[in-house]
Amino acid sequence: MYGKEIKKVLISKEDIAKRVAEIGELISKEYEGERITLVCTLRGACVFFADLMRAIKGDVEIDFIAASSYGSGMSTSGEVKLVKDLSEPIKGKNIIVVEDIIDTGVTLSYLKRLLLTREPKSLKICSLLDKPSRRKVEFKGDYIGFEIENEFVVGYGLDFDQKLRHYPDVCVLAPEMYAE
């Protein structure tokens, strides 16, 4: 199905859909009768965010934020830059930050600290993927789709140099695509 840029399909679109539905059901039950605000971390989480939003039953608001610690390279710079801030205040709201992957933890740790200063009622992190072997700071998500090994993944919103986001599966990128 894919070309030479893909080593293998890691997580199929069917497995993703099943897990997103499970997370949506869990969030729906935990926040039954309460309004939540889903915050999409741009750009990688947009596909997961859209599917998750539709899987949640209840009163859901949305907003968007963008932060980066990568610049144009493949490894984190360690410094986080807020690229796009939220559009609405979050004081007193139930916030769930939706991320594509928890990797080093640097960016999400920064975002969590920043958002907590704005006094939300609650703040949780939901990530499609978790790659704990790459942590540079201690960080744990509240809702995790899949824990994966240290492989370079693309598809379902995740990219390599802004490409390959459109693939419906989470795929392992062929090493020759990023070898230096």
Side-chain angles (χ1 to χ4, degrees), residues 104-118:
T104 64
V106 171
T107 302
L108 275 174
S109 181
Y110 167 83
L111 281 178
K112 188 171 184 177
R113 283 192 315 272
L114 172 70
L115 296 177
L116 283 172
T117 67
R118 299 176 184 184

Side-chain angles (χ1 to χ4, degrees), residues 39 41 65 82 85-86 88 90-91 95-97 108-125:
V39 175
T41 58
I65 198 165
L82 191 62
D85 205 345
L86 297 172
E88 301 290 327
I90 62 169
K91 185 173 183 169
I95 304 299
I96 300 175
V97 176
L108 275 174
S109 181
Y110 167 83
L111 281 178
K112 188 171 184 177
R113 283 192 315 272
L114 172 70
L115 296 177
L116 283 172
T117 67
R118 299 176 184 184
E119 302 176 24
K121 178 178 180 182
S122 67
L123 177 65
K124 293 193 176 183
I125 306 296

Side-chain angles (χ1 to χ4, degrees), residues 46-172:
C46 65
V47 177
F48 175 47
F49 179 81
D51 288 346
L52 180 65
M53 176 177 53
R54 290 188 297 256
I56 296 172
K57 295 166 188 68
D59 193 358
V60 178
E61 294 181 348
I62 64 170
D63 208 338
F64 300 87
I65 198 165
S68 178
S69 64
Y70 283 89
S72 61
M74 282 178 40
S75 60
T76 182
S77 66
E79 288 184 36
V80 179
K81 180 172 98 173
L82 191 62
V83 179
K84 187 226 174 287
D85 205 345
L86 297 172
S87 301
E88 301 290 327
I90 62 169
K91 185 173 183 169
K93 295 182 178 183
N94 293 306
I95 304 299
I96 300 175
V97 176
V98 181
E99 179 64 285
D100 55 355
I101 186 167
I102 303 173
D103 191 24
T104 64
V106 171
T107 302
L108 275 174
S109 181
Y110 167 83
L111 281 178
K112 188 171 184 177
R113 283 192 315 272
L114 172 70
L115 296 177
L116 283 172
T117 67
R118 299 176 184 184
E119 302 176 24
K121 178 178 180 182
S122 67
L123 177 65
K124 293 193 176 183
I125 306 296
C126 177
S127 183
L128 175 68
L129 304 174
D130 187 10
K131 200 187 289 187
S133 65
R134 296 253 308 145
R135 287 296 190 284
K136 291 193 175 193
V137 298
E138 190 172 320
F139 193 86
K140 187 169 174 11
D142 300 287
Y143 308 101
I144 302 297
F146 303 91
E147 187 173 304
I148 64 170
E149 297 299 318
N150 186 17
E151 297 183 285
F152 197 122
V153 289
V154 296
Y156 199 70
L158 295 118
D159 74 297
F160 171 64
D161 197 23
Q162 300 301 327
K163 299 176 191 75
L164 311 177
R165 291 184 194 276
H166 65 287
Y167 290 167
D169 307 295
V170 172
C171 303
V172 176

